[in-house]
Amino acid sequence: MLDRRDILENLADPETYPAEMLAYCLKNPDRSAAIFLPILGKAANGTELDALEAQSFYLGLHILAVLRTQNTFDGVYRLATRQPLILADLLGEVGLGETFPRVLMCLGYGKATDLWEGFQNDKLDFMIRDAFLRAWTYEALKGRVNAVSTERNLRGFLKSEDAPPADDPIWSGWLIAIADLGYSELTSVARDAVASGRILAEDENLAAREFEGFETALDEAQSDTDLPEFLAARGYIPFGEGEGDWGDCFINSPHSQKPL
């Protein structure tokens, strides 16, 4: 059994891609859980990580996600909703925007209610809320959320007394979710919301472009019969199932050397 410190040091090295150590961690899920779940728990509780824990966190989280390690979702949810600044610091802007939604897709099986609640939490940064929404949409696309409830949630989000203000960027994600799910019955609702300035009110030209893109994406969703191909094209790929994921993960880590 490899020593904990050796594993963390190898994964934290910002210059050398740890191919062998990643393979070891993925082949030894119990060992990985014993190392990375406590680190995740510390971060979720707001406890400061030591330098080695912080530098290896990025890859460690993705290892837990790919392994679908038990209790990882609960830890990630607490970290995102209670310690969002810590999450943003540990993942960096690129990780938060590009792979965090896909980490949630790995872990969100049967967690649609939690994902929706995370999306609705207006105290969180837009990127975190959008990641929750993307993962929730993935659950719906995979048929793990009742279609009637899904449509009702999206419609109700707009009409809720607690709905975000018109200039909140989350409305772009709301439109994307409707389009990717192919909910043509919400087209008139979305059109009226844009035309009235209820959403996307900060820039009329942007609103027009976004609604045009919404209609195009909606048409594509309705005509596409190859679900796996559609999911891949729209970015609904749980982390670890895409080509080059681990290499990109290493490069995108906030502690790795970025290419010039």
Side-chain angles (χ1 to χ4, degrees):
M1 180 182 296
L2 291 180
D3 180 76
R4 175 183 185 273
R5 185 172 184 85
D6 289 341
I7 292 173
L8 295 182
E9 285 182 344
N10 195 275
L11 295 180
D13 187 340
E15 298 182 355
T16 305
Y17 177 62
E20 292 184 3
M21 190 59 72
L22 285 172
Y24 173 83
C25 290
L26 293 172
K27 290 178 181 177
N28 294 273
D30 291 342
R31 183 66 176 142
S32 298
I35 293 173
F36 296 112
L37 274 180
I39 296 175
L40 173 60
K42 285 177 65 175
N45 290 334
T47 303
E48 185 177 359
L49 304 183
D50 66 38
L52 203 54
E53 291 172 336
Q55 291 165 9
S56 61
F57 180 89
Y58 193 95
L59 287 175
L61 175 62
H62 289 75
I63 289 168
L64 292 176
V66 168
L67 293 173
R68 270 74 169 182
T69 303
Q70 188 175 7
N71 299 323
T72 299
F73 179 85
D74 293 340
V76 170
Y77 188 83
R78 286 192 294 115
L79 175 58
T81 57
R82 298 183 187 180
Q83 310 293 341
L85 295 180
I86 293 177
L87 175 69
D89 184 58
L90 289 170
L91 296 190
E93 185 173 346
V94 174
L96 199 61
E98 293 191 4
T99 60
F100 184 55
R102 299 175 61 203
V103 163
L104 291 175
M105 290 175 201
C106 286
L107 302 171
Y109 187 100
K111 301 289 186 178
T113 299
D114 294 317
L115 294 170
W116 183 259
E117 288 179 356
F119 158 62
Q120 288 184 295
N121 189 338
D122 60 6
K123 295 181 176 61
L124 303 178
D125 181 79
F126 155 74
M127 294 179 72
I128 296 176
R129 292 154 62 206
D130 191 62
F132 278 121
L133 178 58
R134 294 281 293 171
W136 177 84
T137 305
Y138 176 74
E139 286 295 288
L141 285 165
K142 296 296 285 185
R144 295 193 284 263
V145 186
N146 179 276
V148 174
S149 298
T150 302
E151 188 272 341
R152 185 186 300 124
N153 282 352
L154 289 166
R155 186 189 298 270
F157 182 73
L158 175 68
K159 299 181 180 300
S160 169
E161 294 181 359
D162 299 324
D167 60 352
D168 193 313
I170 201 63
W171 290 116
S172 296
W174 180 77
L175 284 175
I176 290 170
I178 292 172
D180 288 347
L181 287 165
Y183 284 170
S184 58
E185 60 270 30
L186 292 180
T187 302
S188 61
V189 175
R191 181 182 293 110
D192 291 345
V194 173
S196 67
R198 175 63 190 86
I199 68 174
L200 305 178
E202 72 278 7
D203 185 328
E204 289 185 6
N205 292 327
L206 174 63
R209 289 197 304 272
E210 293 222 5
F211 192 77
E212 182 179 352
F214 160 77
E215 291 184 309
T216 299
L218 184 63
D219 289 341
E220 291 174 353
Q222 292 174 322
S223 62
D224 200 304
T225 57
D226 187 343
L227 183 58
E229 183 176 324
F230 173 77
L231 291 175
R234 300 296 291 170
Y236 295 100
I237 310 174
F239 183 83
E241 296 181 13
E243 184 177 352
D245 278 355
W246 285 110
D248 291 341
C249 186
F250 172 72
I251 292 172
N252 291 334
S253 168
H255 301 287
S256 291
Q257 296 290 332
K258 302 298 186 295
L260 298 176

